[in-house]
Amino acid sequence: MGVGVAVIGSGNIGTDLMIKVLRLSESLDMVAMVGIDPESDGLARARRLGVATTSDGVDGLVAMPEFADVRLVFDATSAGAHRRNNEILQAYGRTVVDLTPAAVGPYVVPPVNLDAHLAERNVNMVTCGGQATVPVVAAVAAVAPVAYAEIVASIASRSAGPGTRANIDEFTQTTARALEVVGGAGKGKAIIVLNPADPPLLMRDTVYCLVPAGVDTGRVADSVAAMVASVAGYVPGYRLKQAVQFDPVDAYVPALGSRFTGTQVSVFLEVSGAGHYLPAYAGNLDIMTSAALRTAERLVAVREGARS
């Protein structure tokens, strides 16, 4: 029997996360699924799978008898809703893994900084773009100082639900900040593109880093490749689309407010989903749920080990 968990948010992300817990995790026990729409597919699917449900949000969760068995809660709602959800859950002493851009707790990107935040009671999973690109920026920064990092996340329009669309501003702000705080860039910028192509295209992420001239390109490429392999360990559809590119730069950079002379590192990524609940093109959602699952399992492993 694993550690009891609940998911708040019965939309695409929450439902995919529930199925991942049920199918993939040996250390987590899926106890409750929480929503606000009693007719949602996520709640209906949870009931069919034998998971306790409530359509009364976080208030309904804390009123459920099953809540006594829940020690960790995933929040897959919205940035606005998360603040109240977290306040209530913290009052009950629960650990929260936040999949919204609320950023109440520290940003966590598993292969980069998870071990530094194992004592936190609320951790933030940044954004899908952050989970895909921050590891690459961190890999480059491990070899050479990154003066500026810019990422462009292109996702299928069909994979952007109401929550994603409502949080576009938070997405860009949170991702840009994570490029700096977690990735190590001096300055970060994030752009998201909702691609309306039909059939839908897989998630694509482009990462640009400005580093000093004379950087050891071989070491940078090796560092990026190692990081991509690390992320692919829990997101199998995460991969490099082509070799890392290096180009000389001598131009004014508006984000820096000055001229920059050095090297531009360009990394091109593709992310396909595992197809547990979401279609393969929804890699942007799959990388979030996969990162959240990896984070929760690590938190539980450390805390349960401390108890034993």
Side-chain angles (χ1 to χ4, degrees):
M1 191 87 158
V3 170
V5 302
V7 174
I8 305 179
S10 59
N12 284 336
I13 291 179
T15 304
D16 186 71
L17 183 51
M18 172 186 70
I19 292 174
K20 278 181 167 56
V21 172
L22 290 169
R23 289 187 183 179
L24 305 179
S25 184
E26 297 180 358
S27 59
L28 306 180
D29 181 30
M30 187 68 209
V31 174
M33 168 64 92
V34 181
I36 56 174
D37 177 6
E39 303 303 319
S40 70
D41 179 68
L43 290 181
R45 192 172 293 257
R47 288 190 290 269
R48 291 197 299 270
L49 292 170
V51 176
T53 66
T54 177
S55 59
D56 293 326
V58 69
D59 297 308
L61 172 63
V62 299
M64 297 172 72
E66 292 86 356
F67 184 61
D69 297 324
V70 172
R71 296 220 290 275
L72 183 145
V73 179
F74 297 98
D75 190 340
T77 57
S78 68
H82 175 72
R83 295 179 179 89
R84 179 172 183 270
N85 292 343
N86 181 64
E87 182 179 345
I88 291 172
L89 293 167
Q90 293 303 323
Y92 284 92
R94 298 317 195 259
T95 297
V96 180
V97 175
D98 174 21
L99 287 85
T100 81
V104 172
Y107 301 133
V108 165
V109 179
V112 181
N113 71 335
L114 174 54
D115 284 354
H117 298 295
L118 295 175
E120 298 288 344
R121 287 295 172 180
N122 180 303
V123 294
N124 178 258
M125 304 313 300
V126 195
T127 61
C128 61
Q131 290 297 333
T133 63
V134 168
V136 170
V137 175
V140 176
V143 177
V146 176
Y148 174 65
E150 179 176 308
I151 72 98
V152 181
S154 179
I155 66 175
S157 183
R158 285 190 196 174
S159 71
T164 299
R165 294 172 188 272
N167 291 324
I168 291 293
D169 288 344
E170 289 89 347
F171 173 96
T172 56
Q173 294 161 7
T174 297
T175 306
R177 184 63 179 145
L179 294 173
E180 301 165 358
V181 174
V182 184
K187 181 71 175 178
K189 180 178 179 179
I191 300 168
I192 183 172
V193 177
L194 305 186
N195 192 321
D198 191 15
L201 299 180
L202 297 178
M203 181 188 194
R204 295 282 180 87
D205 296 282
T206 304
V207 183
Y208 302 107
C209 294
L210 297 184
V211 300
V215 65
D216 187 329
T217 58
R219 287 186 61 209
V220 171
D222 288 347
S223 183
V224 169
M227 185 63 80
V228 169
S230 180
V231 176
Y234 58 94
V235 188
Y238 183 85
R239 53 190 169 267
L240 280 173
K241 279 295 290 178
Q242 60 190 76
V244 179
Q245 296 182 7
F246 302 89
D247 298 289
V249 174
D250 184 10
Y252 179 79
V253 180
L256 296 177
S258 63
R259 192 172 193 85
F260 181 86
T261 301
T263 301
Q264 176 178 289
V265 181
S266 303
V267 181
F268 304 93
L269 304 161
E270 184 176 79
V271 188
S272 60
H276 293 128
Y277 173 72
L278 304 164
Y281 63 75
N284 55 303
L285 305 182
D286 191 78
I287 197 170
M288 282 293 284
T289 55
S290 296
L293 181 65
R294 171 59 62 97
T295 296
E297 290 180 328
R298 179 74 175 129
L299 290 171
V300 163
V302 169
R303 291 174 189 181
E304 291 306 296
R307 288 192 180 96
S308 61

